[in-house]
Amino acid sequence: MALHPDFPESSHVIIDPSIRWTPDATQLPLIGRGMLLPPLVQKIRDAVKTWRNNNYKGASETSRALLNW
């Protein structure tokens, strides 16, 4: 299970979906990407990034404050 070379060491850093964990390339032909990382996972990661970049549009002020904390 490979990590992107730019994966942060700190557990408090917001991780861009493009550098999140991805399956080891050697396993993809054997198992198939869908079995290692379901397509929905990447869609959720991308949607959360967009929501975060839009200052959590639609969230209450309290929720927004907690998410930014």
Side-chain angles (χ1 to χ4, degrees):
M1 310 285 176
L3 290 179
H4 191 280
D6 295 331
F7 198 86
E9 291 184 25
S10 172
S11 59
H12 301 287
V13 174
I14 294 174
I15 303 169
D16 190 275
S18 66
I19 64 169
R20 303 265 322 170
W21 173 88
T22 56
D24 184 350
T26 61
Q27 297 299 312
L28 292 177
L30 303 174
I31 301 172
R33 183 177 178 88
M35 295 297 290
L36 291 173
L37 186 66
L40 181 58
V41 172
Q42 190 60 44
K43 287 181 181 182
I44 291 171
R45 288 175 178 174
D46 292 336
V48 169
K49 178 183 180 194
T50 300
W51 188 49
R52 184 183 298 118
N53 290 343
N54 289 317
N55 197 28
Y56 304 106
K57 183 179 178 181
S60 70
E61 289 300 317
T62 302
S63 294
R64 191 175 293 115
L66 290 168
L67 289 163
N68 285 318
W69 181 69

